[in-house]
Amino acid sequence: MFRKVLIANRGEIALRIIRTLREMQIQTVAVYSDADRSALHVRKADEAAHVGPAASRESYLNIGRIIDAARRHGVEAIHPGYGFLSENADFAAACEQAGIVFIGPASSVIRQMGSKTGARQIAAAAGAPIVPGVHEGSLEPSQAREFSRAAGYPVMLKAVAGGGGKGMRRVDREADLEASFRDASSEAVRAFGDGAIYVEKLIERPRHIEIQVVGDTHGNVIHLGERECSIQRRHQKIIEECPSPLVAMHPTMRTEMGDAAVKIARAAGYYNAGTIEFLVDDSRNFYFLEMNTRLQVEHPVTELVTGVDLVRWQLEIASGGKLPVTQEQVEWRGSAIECRVYAEDPENHFFPSPGKIERLSEPGGPGVRVDSGIYAGWHVPLDYDPMLAKLAVWSSTRAEAIARMRRAIGEYRISGIRTNLSFFERILSDREFADAVLDTGFLERFMARLPGPSEAPDQIVSVAAALAEKLTSRRVNDRPSEVAAVSSSWQLAGRDQIQR
Ligand code: MV4
């Protein structure tokens, strides 16, 4: 096993990785930019290397500086976390060249999966279901028209270099195709420096369900079940669950999607932890969407339900070890939910809300896991993703997990900045959420339904409405106030937070 590992990341995920490294008695090296001199991950690591100014391009994304820091500190391996360089094939190759182990798959696999049409080709060759569409990258608009005419509208134009919804356009009729193609392509050039476009049949109101896979360098690949990730805002997941409530109702889906995911990973020659994303339509057909060749933000819900430490497995695999269990030995127990806590203002268009954390009190108790990257007195910098922490809970049933999450949110106190904690309370108290009526349109419909739960006594609702009027300085044109009814004692107690 490695003696010393550098974590090429920041925030909660750097801390998450440091924790497992410490349990394994491996020395840790953090990296930090000018904006992160006093960040928690720097304080918790054994050693730390400054890698440049606040701008990510010149620090956390700077391959040369990260490799240089790794050399200076004498590490044998680099864990990239998620985001930043985690899916950068050039970085993985630079590690390989420098004789440092990249804790992830082979650079060639990252490159192959980075091309969305390349990924489709592998999935198709593996015999996994893919969305009807074309496999070739870089279509001409006329080829997209030909496909769309044959397959029927609506279709989805997508960037070959894409992901995250950038360079993606829904097209409902042939008359719109050319203009949409141009828009998608120029957006893809801006986002990825590559305007290549491909086309798929559009799946209406899909669920987003993904399978956690893990492979080792000896050719073993298993899956650890699914995560339901349908609750998203602008392609940003905010709540994730394991099991998917849909899969819990139809258990054969786990086996079928799991088998498909393992086939894809195997066909790619994949080792490391990875995620195969699927779209699921309203007839419960599933289709391969993309593969993420990294540890995911939402990995804790899988860890809570399977009991696996995915970071430990990544390290064992990267140092040449075999998977410690077979597929048959994987067990799923209970239900886990994760909320992504952001420094953003749900009352004001989710604008980022950086600033100084004045007071902080994190929840605890049975079944509660907080993966946090902040402390009281620290300034949340504006330079990076404003995710502060992930709050995850486990309980034996989904209903109990929801109750536990609401309890944990009630214990959470973050003051000095705005957070989206109150927004989670509203979602978790929503009837449709409780009934698991989920698809990727859930959040938009939920927001249109606000203001909130009408089960609250009329008196409270009217007091809350009056309070909301006072507190909201800005409103969305002439839509109703986005401030929901005060629905819990916590929200009443949380007025000081809203008022800041
Ligand atoms: C789709 C789709 C419907 N049909 N592809 C969005 C992000 C990108 N990675 C893939 N995405 C989608 N691809 C076809 N053929 C709908 C989406 C989509 C979506 C997917 C997953 C989670 C949230 C989403 C929100 C809007 C659209």
Side-chain angles (χ1 to χ4, degrees), residues 354-372:
K356 187 179 175 193
I357 314 253
E358 295 290 352
R359 284 172 303 163
L360 176 66
S361 181
E362 288 170 344
V368 174
R369 169 174 171 175
V370 182
D371 285 67
S372 172

Side-chain angles (χ1 to χ4, degrees), residues 156 158 168 200-203 208 232 235 279 290 440:
M156 196 76 111
K158 294 184 173 187
M168 197 173 83
E200 286 178 354
K201 182 113 183 92
L202 185 121
I203 310 293
H208 175 149
Q232 309 208 355
H235 303 295
L279 289 180
E290 346 186 316
T440 52

Side-chain angles (χ1 to χ4, degrees), residues 449-490:
R449 277 205 304 281
L450 293 178
S454 48
E455 311 93 69
D458 286 353
Q459 249 178 340
I460 293 184
V461 171
S462 55
V463 169
L467 182 65
E469 283 298 329
K470 276 218 165 95
L471 298 182
T472 4
S473 48
R474 265 165 281 194
R475 284 217 245 155
V476 191
N477 296 334
D478 42 7
R479 278 199 271 140
S481 165
E482 290 194 0
V483 175
V486 173
S487 61
S488 75
S489 58
W490 176 76

Side-chain angles (χ1 to χ4, degrees), residues 120-128 135 267:
R120 275 177 64 87
Q121 285 163 21
I122 291 173
H135 296 352

Side-chain angles (χ1 to χ4, degrees), residues 396-451:
S396 47
T397 66
R398 182 172 189 263
E400 283 174 21
I402 292 172
R404 182 163 275 173
M405 181 63 88
R406 295 180 69 183
R407 185 269 291 173
I409 289 170
E411 290 178 13
Y412 221 143
R413 297 279 188 285
I414 305 175
S415 66
I417 56 169
R418 310 281 187 122
T419 76
N420 61 348
L421 277 172
S422 62
F423 188 62
F424 289 121
E425 168 55 28
R426 289 191 217 157
I427 296 171
L428 293 160
S429 60
D430 181 65
R431 185 53 187 274
E432 277 195 35
F433 178 78
D435 292 343
V437 189
L438 305 178
D439 63 72
T440 52
F442 173 88
L443 214 58
E444 207 174 323
R445 293 196 304 276
F446 172 77
M447 309 250 286
R449 277 205 304 281
L450 293 178

Side-chain angles (χ1 to χ4, degrees), residues 323-343:
L323 282 177
V325 303
T326 63
Q327 187 65 63
E328 291 66 40
Q329 290 172 315
V330 177
E331 287 182 324
W332 292 270
R333 188 165 157 263
S335 186
I337 307 177
E338 175 183 279
C339 291
R340 298 191 187 184
V341 183
Y342 280 93

